[in-house]
Amino acid sequence: MTTTLETTLERADQPILIDGLSWREFKAVEQLLSRPGIRLSFLDGVLEIRRMPARKHETAKQRISTLVDMYLEYAGIDFTPTGSVTLESETGRVKREADLSYELGSNRERPDLAVEVVVTSGGINKLEAYKRLEIPEVWFWENGRLRLYSLGDDGYTEVDRSFVLLDLDIVLLGRCINIENHLQAMREFRQAIQSS
C-alpha cells in the first residue's frame, strides 16, 4: 500500500518542505522517514524531503565521479571518494548529503569538495548548508553547466577555477561531462589531461 508521502513524491520532482522543526523533532522525524528512495535534508528548522534521483541525475553524477577520479589519479593526488556521506551539525542546525564528495589528502574530518547535480529546483539553501558544514568548495552541475563556489570568510563566492584542484581544466571537464557517450567522454578527458 502506498502512503500519502510516497504518492506525493511520485507525482512531483519538487521537494516537500516542512517548516518549524527543532533539531530534536527533526531527528525523530528522520527515524520515521528512514526508508529507501527518500533523501532528507535539514536547515534552520526546515525539513526537505526528496525522492531519490532519477536516471538523468544519476548519469551526470557518475560521469562527474568518473572524470574527477581519473583526474585525481593522473595528478597523483591522495583522495578518498566519500560519495553521498551524511554531513550534519546539531549546533549548525543542518544535515545534508552531497551527491558526490571528496576528501583530498589523508585524515580529513570532512570533505574538501562537495558536488551537487541539480535537475529540479526548490528546497533548502544548499550553499548555506555547506557553509555551516565548512566544506571548502562546492560544485553545482545544472543545465549542462558546471558552477564552482569557494568558501571564504563571508561565505561562498562563485569562481572560474577550482581552488582545491588548482590544475584541473574546468572547461575541459564541463565539455566531457556533456559528451553523450560515456566511453568517448572518458577517452577524450584522459587524452586531454595526459597531453597537457
Side-chain angles (χ1 to χ4, degrees), residues 23-134:
W23 180 261
R24 188 174 178 176
E25 290 168 330
F26 160 65
K27 295 308 279 182
V29 170
E30 181 181 41
Q31 293 300 315
L32 294 171
L33 295 179
S34 179
R35 57 173 27 130
I38 295 177
R39 180 180 279 181
L40 305 176
S41 295
F42 183 79
L43 179 66
D44 285 339
V46 178
L47 168 63
E48 176 187 282
I49 306 169
R50 286 187 184 269
R51 69 181 175 151
M52 291 304 277
R55 185 180 194 279
K56 179 179 177 182
H57 176 279
E58 291 299 287
T59 300
K61 179 180 93 168
Q62 292 304 323
R63 174 71 52 79
I64 294 167
S65 174
T66 298
L67 299 179
V68 170
D69 287 357
M70 287 172 63
Y71 170 77
L72 291 167
E73 178 189 12
Y74 181 77
I77 297 171
D78 182 19
F79 74 102
T80 302
T82 49
S84 58
V85 65
T86 300
L87 305 166
E88 67 179 34
S89 166
E90 181 176 358
T91 56
R93 297 175 35 129
V94 61
K95 175 194 176 219
R96 183 80 198 142
E97 295 174 27
D99 291 316
L100 296 168
S101 61
Y102 291 88
E103 293 175 4
L104 305 173
S106 56
N107 300 319
R108 309 295 291 167
E109 289 184 28
R110 66 183 60 83
D112 298 282
L113 171 63
V115 181
E116 291 280 343
V117 176
V118 181
V119 293
T120 61
S121 60
I124 65 170
N125 182 329
K126 294 173 183 66
L127 280 178
E128 180 61 28
Y130 288 122
K131 176 182 162 189
R132 293 186 193 181
L133 293 164
E134 301 176 9

